[in-house]
Amino acid sequence: MGKQSQYVSKQPDENGIIHWSDEENQIWKDLVERQLECIPGKACDEYMKGLELLDLPKDRLPQMHEVNDVLERETGWQMAAVPALIPFDEFFRLLANKQFPVATFIRTQEEFDYLQEPDIFHEIFGHCPLLTNPAFAHFTHQYGKLGYAATPKERVYLARLYWFTVEFGLLKTEEGIRIYGGGILSSPAETEYAVNSDTPERKPLKALDALRTPYRIDIIQPIYYTIESVDELFQISDMDIMALVHEAMELGLFEPKFPPKDAA
């Protein structure tokens, strides 16, 4: 996470309040309205329940305490305001302490459709609803503890498991494909693509496979891994994930399903 961000996070005042501009509140409103039209019938039930519990304001950015009150009550989690980009050490330390890092900036109008780094819309709208779910919250906590104790090389492998679950995970339900990954749920284009397109591969999640699958952050995903229930994340949390990381290191990565960045 060494690259510089063009964004600067806003600092809360002495009462913990962040003062957002009218323009920033309007961007939040437009983003939320657009995504709320897009996710019904595509987001998983657990996410929709979490969204209902959070009861996010639609006409302005939420304040941290409004979200934290609900997360604390439901699963003992909190959001933590952070700069735009933080070191991996700090990222894992926060997760290990049940604090979800949230960069307190929102994208500009120029990057309304796509932003490469996670902003407050991605973090709150994409991830926080599912942090009200015990299985998702437990998985994220366990992941943080593993990552905090891991070596830099092990963390690179661990990042792939996070990518294909927390960020880009799908459920295969009796009603069809449903989304639980926050990276999809904060993107209208990928929400539609992940559920309805015939283009991507969708494979049942095996943790070892996910650890070996390369990804790119700046493209629509060519492959998704599916689980049948959010509760499966409890089972994954109980695996010896670090043993699987070492096995993945021995086996090496799968062939990428995308061109190299400079050829894309």
Side-chain angles (χ1 to χ4, degrees), residues 101-113:
V102 174
T104 48
F105 72 89
I106 194 161
R107 67 195 69 184
T108 60
Q109 195 65 49
E110 289 71 36
E111 294 194 281
F112 187 82
D113 288 327

Side-chain angles (χ1 to χ4, degrees), residues 59-78:
D59 60 340
R60 62 166 176 85
L61 278 126
Q63 294 295 335
M64 304 284 276
H65 69 86
E66 295 174 305
V67 179
N68 282 342
D69 288 349
V70 180
L71 294 182
E72 177 70 48
R73 184 187 75 220
E74 296 296 325
T75 56
W77 274 76
Q78 295 277 277

Side-chain angles (χ1 to χ4, degrees), residues 146-147 149-161 207-212 239-253:
L146 288 175
T151 67
K153 189 174 179 188
E154 288 167 341
R155 286 174 178 176
V156 173
Y157 279 79
L158 278 172
R160 297 189 186 100
L161 182 61
L208 181 60
D209 287 351
L211 291 164
R212 298 178 63 202
M239 292 177 180
D240 187 345
I241 291 173
M242 293 316 295
L244 294 174
V245 165
H246 297 145
E247 190 177 346
M249 287 175 166
E250 290 285 323
L251 292 168
L253 297 182

Side-chain angles (χ1 to χ4, degrees), residues 26-51:
Q26 185 64 46
I27 288 170
W28 169 270
K29 180 176 184 286
D30 292 345
L31 285 166
V32 169
E33 282 179 356
R34 180 173 70 167
Q35 203 57 10
L36 285 176
E37 283 183 16
C38 189
I39 59 175
K42 301 183 185 81
C44 68
D45 291 345
E46 293 83 356
Y47 173 87
M48 297 304 287
K49 182 187 174 190
L51 204 54

Side-chain angles (χ1 to χ4, degrees), residues 53-209:
L53 285 170
L54 288 177
D55 193 22
L56 298 170
K58 297 181 179 65
D59 60 340
R60 62 166 176 85
L61 278 126
Q63 294 295 335
M64 304 284 276
H65 69 86
E66 295 174 305
V67 179
N68 282 342
D69 288 349
V70 180
L71 294 182
E72 177 70 48
R73 184 187 75 220
E74 296 296 325
T75 56
W77 274 76
Q78 295 277 277
M79 294 193 309
V82 299
L85 294 169
I86 58 173
F88 279 122
D89 251 11
E90 180 65 0
F91 174 72
F92 287 116
R93 185 191 71 76
L94 287 167
L95 294 185
N97 286 289
K98 292 190 174 182
Q99 293 179 289
F100 198 79
V102 174
T104 48
F105 72 89
I106 194 161
R107 67 195 69 184
T108 60
Q109 195 65 49
E110 289 71 36
E111 294 194 281
F112 187 82
D113 288 327
Y114 174 74
L115 184 69
Q116 201 159 302
E117 57 197 280
D119 68 347
I120 194 166
F121 174 74
H122 168 85
E123 303 291 24
I124 291 184
F125 192 91
H127 289 303
C128 285
L130 266 170
L131 280 172
T132 66
N133 176 270
F136 185 88
H138 178 68
F139 177 82
T140 309
H141 185 216
Q142 292 296 101
Y143 178 84
K145 290 194 285 188
L146 288 175
Y148 193 50
T151 67
K153 189 174 179 188
E154 288 167 341
R155 286 174 178 176
V156 173
Y157 279 79
L158 278 172
R160 297 189 186 100
L161 182 61
Y162 189 88
W163 186 261
F164 289 111
T165 53
V166 174
E167 292 291 356
F168 287 90
L170 296 178
L171 295 185
K172 195 170 184 182
T173 74
E174 288 180 4
E175 291 78 39
I177 294 293
R178 295 292 182 269
I179 305 162
Y180 73 94
I184 309 175
L185 287 165
S186 55
S187 162
E190 194 135 6
T191 295
E192 180 65 31
Y193 171 86
V195 173
N196 291 326
S197 173
D198 293 331
T199 304
E201 283 186 58
R202 300 178 189 88
K203 292 184 170 183
L205 177 69
K206 293 177 182 169
L208 181 60
D209 287 351

